Amino acid sequence: MTSILTNSSAMSALATLRNINTDLANTQDRVSSGYRVGEAADNVAYWSISTTMNSDNKALNSAKDALGVGAAKVDTAYAAVESSIEVVNEIKAKLVTASETSTDKDQIQLEITKLQEQLSAVAQAASFSGENWAISGSNTGTSGTVVDGFIREDSGSVKITTAEVTLASIAMFSTLSADGAGEGGILGTVMDIELTSGSSQTDIDGFMDDVETALSSLTDAGAVLGALTTRIDLQDDFASTLSDAIESGVSRLVDADMEEESAKLSALQTQQQLAVQSLSIANSSSQNILSLFQ
């Protein structure tokens, strides 16, 4: 039966066209944005996971940037330790020279004094971004810290991880005197060396013991800083790898397969044209009834 009030064919064709237009709009959106899951309505679970992981990845990248600051602090402290070892070795050589009875110990002391001043200058210069690990008294805490990571635990809580080093074990000096001379710390006894014309070999041997102890402590400090540098480098590499892995994992969840979407877009455009043609044919069927009244 043909009715001029209800055109079932046209209604069916129109419903098909609407569905095709909806699918076409979704596909075009995926092609233009590159996302298969661009908002929560697309896939609640995947959207939730990707949003959380993208946030964590940004935090991880920030921690990676902080590693650069930490590495600079460690490198600065290590440079100070390395330079101090060279200066202390020079003081050691002067003391060996002073062991010769014919030498002028007062003149040698003048050289040692300049080397002691150099040690103080090195310690004062070993500052990065207002933090000086070479002088423990300039820090409010007892540990030097370096941010090295960001962790999301199984419980869902997050935390920042840090690498720490005890400043007292690496600090060249504890404090600086009013005139800028270093006091206490690893090099405190070296700063107390003072030769005079009346200094005996026993005095010189005592100074040599102080120098050897200081060199041993400086070597240990350099080892601590070197190990921390190695950890920072490893953590930096790991953070880069982890960030790439997170980004790749999120991509698998939410990124659109452009080859698939491109093929789907072409197919839907063809279906749209056919649906429009079908609707046109269905609408024209009512007009054919006019021929029955001619």
Side-chain angles (χ1 to χ4, degrees), residues 96-169:
V96 172
T97 302
S99 297
E100 172 58 47
T101 56
S102 62
T103 57
D104 187 338
K105 294 182 177 60
D106 289 330
Q107 292 299 319
I108 293 177
Q109 179 57 38
L110 289 177
E111 294 181 278
I112 290 177
T113 298
K114 293 302 179 183
L115 292 171
Q116 290 169 331
E117 291 174 355
Q118 177 62 19
L119 289 174
S120 297
V122 168
Q124 291 183 71
S127 175
F128 183 85
S129 189
E131 191 169 348
N132 191 331
W133 288 8
I135 307 173
S136 59
S138 66
N139 298 278
T140 57
T142 58
S143 298
T145 61
V146 175
V147 173
D148 67 354
F150 172 85
I151 296 176
R152 178 175 292 277
E153 299 179 327
D154 293 341
S155 62
S157 61
V158 297
K159 68 177 182 179
I160 303 298
T161 60
T162 59
E164 296 186 356
V165 58
T166 303
L167 293 179
S169 67

Side-chain angles (χ1 to χ4, degrees), residues 186-215:
I186 293 175
L187 299 178
T189 54
V190 175
M191 298 297 290
D192 293 334
I193 294 175
E194 186 174 357
L195 290 174
T196 65
S197 56
S199 295
S200 65
Q201 186 59 44
T202 301
D203 295 331
I204 295 174
D205 289 342
F207 292 149
M208 286 289 289
D209 289 340
D210 292 338
V211 167
E212 285 299 322
T213 300
L215 283 173

